[in-house]
Each structure stands twice: as C-alpha cells, then as structure tokens.
Amino acid sequence: MQIAQLTKAEEQVMQYLWEIEKGFLKDILELFPEPKPHTNTVSTILKVLKEKDFVDYEVHGRQHQYFPLISKERYSGKSMKSLVKNYFEGSYKNAVSFLVEKNEMSVEDLEMLLNELKK
C-alpha cells in the first residue's frame, strides 16, 4: 500500500495523535501551542487524515475518538526514503555526508552509529 505524503499541518496533527495514541478533538487541540488553531481547522485536518487512511475513529455519543492507523515509525521510514530519493539521488551515503558537512552530525556520532550497526 502506497502511503500518502502529509502536509505540514497534517503531520503536526499526526505527531500529537501518535503522542497520545487515542484522543478526542479537544485532546488534540490542547497539545497545540498558543495561538491554538480554530477547532474547525483541526477537525477538517482530521477529516482529511481519515480520507488518506492515516486515522480512524470510534464514535462515543456525538464525539469521535481518533487513533492512528499508520505508525510513526512506518511514516518516518517512508519520509526518509522519499527525502533521500528526492534530494540525495537515492544515496543514503550522500545524505549522511551532507549531515556531517553541515555539522548536523558529528564524526563521533557517525562512528558511534557505525559501531552500533556492526553489532
């Protein structure tokens, strides 16, 4: 199954939903920093995420309790693959080299990562 790309706003809502695992609209809204988005905005984003098969909900009276259908790890892996493919010619080596060159990853971090992978 192909996983859709999320907008920044959709991704932010998913981050909060992954954090709480299950929640009502008010629970998700509480996690936003000030100034909080309008309730209708978040409700619309949740509706779009449902259409994209990222979330589903259980009905409790007149309220929906939302939960993720796709794990954060699965989406992160897809996003990483897309990033490497689109910006680093599909090369993870180029991506890591970029991080080291831009001082986002130290050589020590890289050595530690290599040692972990060798285990």
Side-chain angles (χ1 to χ4, degrees):
M1 177 177 97
Q2 183 70 16
I3 300 175
Q5 188 68 36
L6 298 179
T7 66
K8 293 280 185 206
E10 292 165 352
E11 199 169 298
Q12 186 173 25
V13 170
M14 284 304 299
Q15 290 288 349
Y16 294 144
L17 202 49
W18 283 321
E19 183 180 323
I20 62 174
E21 297 178 9
K22 226 178 196 188
F24 295 97
L25 176 60
K26 67 175 182 58
D27 300 323
I28 297 165
L29 270 169
E30 286 175 5
L31 296 170
F32 277 88
E34 293 293 341
K36 295 186 184 297
H38 194 275
T39 304
N40 291 344
T41 303
V42 178
S43 180
T44 300
I45 292 169
L46 286 164
K47 193 179 299 181
V48 170
L49 288 168
K50 168 102 171 87
E51 290 168 4
K52 289 183 174 183
D53 292 324
F54 272 81
V55 302
D56 204 355
Y57 58 81
E58 296 171 350
V59 178
H60 295 270
R62 295 180 57 204
Q63 295 186 355
H64 295 155
Q65 186 177 34
Y66 295 92
F67 56 91
L69 292 175
I70 293 177
S71 71
K72 184 176 184 176
E73 292 75 23
R74 184 166 177 216
Y75 183 73
S76 298
K78 185 256 183 213
S79 295
M80 181 61 93
K81 283 180 188 175
S82 177
L83 177 76
V84 170
K85 178 183 173 196
N86 294 330
Y87 294 97
F88 299 101
E89 294 115 34
S91 168
Y92 284 91
K93 178 184 169 233
N94 290 350
V96 172
S97 293
F98 174 83
L99 292 173
V100 172
E101 287 171 15
K102 298 297 179 188
N103 293 319
E104 298 293 331
M105 178 182 231
S106 70
V107 174
E108 292 80 21
D109 288 340
L110 183 56
E111 287 173 354
M112 221 166 50
L113 178 61
L114 288 171
N115 287 332
E116 286 295 316
L117 292 173
K118 288 178 185 176
K119 289 182 183 177

